[in-house]
Amino acid sequence: MLAHGLLGLGTKFTGLALVVPVGLLIAMAPWREIRPNLCDGLAAALAVCIAVSCLLNGFSDLKELVLLSVTLTQYAAGRLAPVRDARRGVLTVGAIVVAIGALATTVALTEQWSDHHGKPYVFGEFDAAPAQFAMLLGVVVIAAVTSDRLPRMAFAGISLLAVLAAAVFAASMVRFSLLALELAALAAALLCEGAARRRGLVLVALLAVAIGAGAAARWSAASVYGRHLLTATGVTAVAPDARMLAPVAVGCPAVDFDNSIAIRKQLLADALRILPDAGPFGMGAGSFAMRSCVPGLGAHNSFVEVAIEFGWLAGVVLIASVAAAWRSVTPLARVLADYRFVACMTLFVVLLSLAHGRISHDFVLLLTLGLAGHLRATRSAVAQTWMLRGLVTWPLRRPVG
């Protein structure tokens, strides 16, 4: 976002930024020491299911197919990168990017405070930018809260940045991303002990206040979303002057085009209608948008999208991948920061994928699954070390595979 908006760089730069680091990790990886495990097998199975589906059904958008391929390689990035280095990188580079993003959003918000669209166009064209920056803010907050040995001043600085940024993004009408941030940060704090838990809970409370204050500061825009919630749930009638999307097919209702909640409600209904016909290898990439009552929009749910477009098998494998990642890190999440970080990251990215997901754009989801695979590979040795210190009381009797 910053590269496009500040420097005017194009999609080729984005592709290089995603591909080159993975290529370097693959080139420098100690392959003789790496042993495949369950997480690796599921990631490979997902890639195979998607490839088979594309061969059988074809594809309509080469750019999206390339982007999906790049997304799948992010598993390798997480699998080969040391988790501790990833956490440190988030706390430094991630915090800097969040600060710049919050500043850019503040400028756009000031200029477009009363705009009827509600969400400010950052750099004059990106209304999704506040949500993207809020997602990165969530990763930074999770890294800070789970790092129980982070110096007090460093934690205070990140907390101040997080509170200010959360208020700005809330005023920009970012909603679900901030809710997911709160839930993941709360889980991170509860997994900590002692002073780390207390300061984590304080940060969660401060973020809640900041989010409420940011939304209240633009009450005229926030109240619109409140009315949308009431109309989407049928509590109140749709306003007579609402922009209604006319039914595009038999059985499709009219949908308020300005009501994102009503749109997601219809997308979910479409997904439940289409899913039984998807079959084991799906209907092809981009097929959901062509069969939905809201044409041109994806399912906004990575799990549903994968099951419909690439098949039931791919959907089951993706769910199994998340379950394996969760089970790989939760046993040691209370005693080790790396495992705690990946556990809370898994919670965070899954929540986002349920509401905003698009598998070809889910870089962080695949990266997190890769980090879990990396930790699974070393879990037994780490657990044995901590058992000798008396901090882990349960034995891992079987080698992790």
Side-chain angles (χ1 to χ4, degrees):
M1 196 69 68
L2 295 177
H4 284 269
L6 287 177
L7 305 177
L9 300 176
T11 55
K12 292 183 179 179
F13 172 82
T14 302
L16 289 174
L18 292 170
V19 172
V20 170
V22 180
L24 292 175
L25 285 169
I26 292 175
M28 297 186 296
W31 288 105
R32 293 182 179 181
E33 302 174 9
I34 296 176
R35 298 292 180 268
N37 57 45
L38 177 61
C39 292
D40 303 333
L42 290 170
L46 177 62
V48 169
C49 288
I50 292 175
V52 171
S53 176
C54 290
L55 289 174
L56 294 177
N57 299 299
F59 53 90
S60 58
D61 191 332
L62 178 60
K63 181 179 177 181
E64 281 296 310
L65 183 64
V66 172
L67 194 58
L68 174 58
S69 301
V70 173
T71 298
L72 293 175
T73 64
Q74 299 307 301
Y75 178 88
R79 180 66 172 86
L80 299 174
V83 179
R84 184 165 299 178
D85 292 345
R87 245 186 332 117
R88 290 172 177 171
V90 166
L91 289 171
T92 52
V93 178
I96 293 172
V97 174
V98 167
I100 298 173
L103 180 60
T105 304
T106 301
V107 172
L109 189 59
T110 303
E111 296 172 347
Q112 305 165 45
W113 187 266
S114 302
D115 191 272
H116 72 278
H117 184 64
K119 298 178 180 179
Y121 288 92
V122 179
F123 305 122
E125 56 180 322
F126 303 118
D127 66 340
Q132 298 288 346
F133 292 135
M135 184 190 73
L136 180 56
L137 172 64
V139 179
V140 172
V141 169
I142 291 169
V145 175
T146 55
S147 300
D148 48 7
R149 295 185 180 182
L150 189 67
R152 184 179 301 176
M153 292 304 297
F155 186 86
I158 290 176
S159 297
L160 178 61
L161 169 64
V163 169
L164 295 175
V168 171
F169 299 144
S172 302
M173 298 299 107
V174 176
R175 293 156 292 164
F176 190 81
S177 296
L178 293 176
L179 174 61
L181 182 160
E182 280 283 85
L183 293 175
L186 177 60
L190 293 177
L191 285 172
C192 294
E193 300 289 345
R197 173 181 290 188
R198 290 191 294 272
R199 72 182 189 181
L201 291 174
V202 169
L203 177 55
V204 170
L206 291 175
L207 287 171
V209 173
I211 292 169
R218 292 188 75 207
W219 180 249
S220 59
S223 61
V224 171
Y225 289 97
R227 290 196 298 271
H228 285 171
L229 175 61
L230 295 177
T231 57
T233 53
V235 176
T236 60
V238 179
D241 59 344
R243 291 196 304 163
M244 301 300 293
L245 179 67
V248 297
V250 177
C252 287
V255 181
D256 184 355
F257 193 71
D258 292 323
N259 190 336
S260 60
I261 301 174
I263 290 174
R264 279 180 169 79
K265 181 181 177 182
Q266 184 58 48
L267 292 175
L268 178 59
D270 291 337
L272 295 176
R273 170 176 55 85
I274 299 170
L275 184 58
D277 299 326
F281 296 107
M283 299 178 170
S287 59
F288 179 88
M290 294 185 289
R291 291 172 171 81
S292 170
C293 289
V294 189
L297 290 184
H300 282 65
N301 182 311
S302 296
F303 301 93
V304 169
E305 179 194 2
V306 167
I308 291 175
E309 298 190 355
F310 302 110
W312 300 333
L313 293 177
V316 170
V317 171
L318 180 58
I319 294 172
S321 297
V322 172
W326 181 256
R327 290 180 61 86
S328 297
V329 296
T330 49
L332 293 174
R334 286 193 173 275
V335 294
L336 289 175
D338 289 346
Y339 288 78
R340 188 160 53 243
F341 170 67
V342 176
C344 296
M345 276 294 298
T346 302
L347 173 62
F348 183 58
V349 296
V350 167
L351 287 173
L352 292 180
S353 295
L354 290 173
H356 298 295
R358 185 176 180 183
I359 191 61
S360 59
H361 295 234
D362 271 347
F363 306 108
V364 183
L365 173 62
L366 271 295
L367 180 70
T368 303
L369 295 179
L371 291 172
H374 176 86
L375 292 178
R376 184 183 182 96
T378 58
R379 189 178 62 176
S380 290
V382 171
Q384 290 173 6
T385 300
W386 282 89
M387 279 190 289
L388 293 175
R389 299 183 183 185
L391 295 177
V392 179
T393 57
W394 63 91
L396 296 177
R397 300 184 179 182
R398 296 181 181 179
V400 177

